[in-house]
Every structure is written in C-alpha cells, then in structure tokens.
Amino acid sequence: MLSFFNVFCDINMLNVLFRFGLAFLLGGAIGMERSFKNRSAGFRTHILVTSAACVASMTGIYLYLNLKMPTDVSRIGAQIVSGLGFIGAGTIIVTKKPKVKGLSTAAGLWASGIVGVAVGAGFYEGAIVATIVVLLAQTLFSYAEQYIRTTPEFDITLRYQDRGALDEAMRYCKDHRLAILNLKVTGDMNDYKAKLTLLPKLRIDEARLFDHIRKIPGITEINKVNI
C-alpha cells in the first residue's frame, strides 16, 4: 500500500469521511461518463451505489474490529456483489429487433459497487486503478469498438410450396456462413410462408443470396423484412 494511505487505515471519523469522499469521487467519475452519454443510470445512481457499497464494507470491518463480534468481514461485501446484479438488470432492455441494450451500463454499475467495496475495505489503490480501467473501457474503447466491422442480422420471408425447398434454402444459408437465429413457419399444404432471422458470420452479397434462393425449385417469393 502507498505510504500516503497508511494514515487512513483505521476506522475513525477522519477515515470514514475520507473513504466516503473517495467513493463519491470515484463513483461520480464513472457516473459522469454515463450521464454524458444519456444512459439510464447516470451520475447520481453511480454515486449512490459506490457510497452504499463503501459503508457496507466498512460496517463489516467495524463489527469485527470495534465491536469484537465473531463475524466474517467479507460476508457483507459478498452480498453486495450479488445484490448489484439485480440493480444492473434494471438497466438492460431488449429492443424489437431483438437487440440487447444497457449491458455496458449494468457492468459499470456492478464495477462501481466493487470500487465502493474496495474503498470501504481500505484498498484505495485497487479502487483508483479499477476506476481508471472502467473509464477507459467506457470512453476510449467505446470509440475503438465502432471501427470493428460487424454485419447485423436481418430477416427474410419465403413463400414456397414444397417443404424440401425450405430445407434447401436453409442448407444454402448454413453453407455460406449464415447462422439461422430464428425460424417461423405458417401456411397450409399448398402455400407455406417462413420467416428466417439470419446472422452473417462474414460479409455477404445479399443480391447474390436472394438470387440463388429465388431459383430454388418450389420457392415462389423471397423478400427482406425492413424494420
């Protein structure tokens, strides 16, 4: 531990104020970045999470050192780690696509809680380094992620008269590195309709894909679903 922090190791009023102040600053730093990006959990939420985790961590230490109670000082911190999962889950939503959003915010809340636990336990260096890592992940790495080329999933609808035509179309998709995420079939004996959700693993030529499937015997119509 850095010598500067040695004076803040005991549980007294000065150290309590210092730990709360540090938890406030570190949680606020993480929350400020989320607020700038207009996320569901922002500045105040992260401060509350970090401060609450900090006092919970200090409470476990206080019960053991000051009140001499036979307790496990790490038990409260462990419950914080579990409980933060429920808070983070509230920031995760599923859009109509469907697409999951809010995972980064949920992870940031969870990380803020861990930072608070570290501050409350007196592990200041770890809390500061963890905050820097979280901020780097939420800022610089988010911009770098934009340059990682990804091909989004898309939906297509097929009309066909022969069930074997659908099997051949699906086989063609799989052979050309298209993962089938969802399949829904409706219709009767003379006219079937299928909706497929495809996720390309490589960049594809959609025109070529549609042209080939359209030529499969039994396929009467193919369309891309625009959302």
Side-chain angles (χ1 to χ4, degrees):
M1 179 178 290
L2 297 177
S3 58
F4 171 78
F5 293 121
N6 290 340
V7 69
F8 300 107
C9 291
D10 297 327
I11 300 294
N12 52 51
M13 181 56 70
L14 176 63
N15 292 342
V16 168
L17 292 175
F18 173 78
R19 295 184 190 192
F20 268 117
L22 183 59
F24 181 94
L25 292 175
L26 298 181
I30 299 174
M32 186 71 73
E33 184 275 335
R34 293 285 88 185
S35 291
F36 281 143
K37 292 185 176 179
N38 197 27
R39 296 300 190 263
S40 55
F43 183 69
R44 292 183 300 170
T45 304
H46 284 76
I47 289 177
L48 289 173
V49 168
T50 308
S51 300
C54 176
V55 69
S57 183
M58 285 192 293
T59 299
I61 298 174
Y62 180 83
L63 293 175
Y64 180 76
L65 295 180
N66 295 60
L67 301 184
K68 307 299 181 182
M69 296 182 64
T71 182
D72 183 358
V73 296
S74 65
R75 174 172 293 182
I76 296 179
Q79 297 304 314
I80 294 171
V81 175
S82 301
L84 285 171
F86 292 96
I87 299 177
T91 67
I92 301 174
I93 60 174
V94 180
T95 61
K96 293 181 180 180
K97 181 59 183 173
K99 183 178 181 182
V100 179
K101 289 187 176 181
L103 287 175
S104 296
T105 300
L109 277 173
W110 185 81
S112 296
I114 304 302
V115 167
V117 171
V119 173
F123 185 30
Y124 308 121
E125 299 93 329
I128 294 172
V129 171
T131 301
I132 294 173
V133 171
V134 171
L135 289 174
L136 287 175
Q138 299 281 40
T139 55
L140 296 181
F141 295 163
S142 66
Y143 291 109
E145 192 175 30
Q146 298 176 3
Y147 294 96
I148 300 176
R149 294 185 176 181
T150 57
T151 304
E153 63 190 56
F154 61 95
D155 296 333
I156 64 172
T157 58
L158 301 176
R159 298 187 76 94
Y160 59 97
Q161 297 175 343
D162 182 6
R163 292 187 178 183
L166 176 62
D167 294 337
E168 186 173 345
M170 293 175 61
R171 188 179 305 110
Y172 178 84
C173 291
K174 292 179 180 179
D175 291 343
H176 289 76
R177 308 284 289 175
L178 285 162
I180 301 175
L181 303 182
N182 191 31
L183 172 63
K184 183 178 181 181
V185 178
T186 58
D188 52 33
M189 296 181 60
N190 298 320
D191 185 20
Y192 296 99
K193 184 176 181 180
K195 181 179 179 182
L196 295 86
T197 301
L198 304 177
L199 176 63
K201 298 180 180 179
L202 299 173
R203 299 182 70 87
I204 64 167
D205 184 348
E206 290 188 6
R208 182 178 178 183
L209 169 68
F210 280 40
D211 184 62
H212 181 89
I213 294 179
R214 191 175 290 111
K215 294 178 180 179
I216 295 176
I219 300 290
T220 59
E221 184 182 344
I222 177 172
N223 293 294
K224 182 176 180 180
V225 179
N226 295 318
I227 299 178

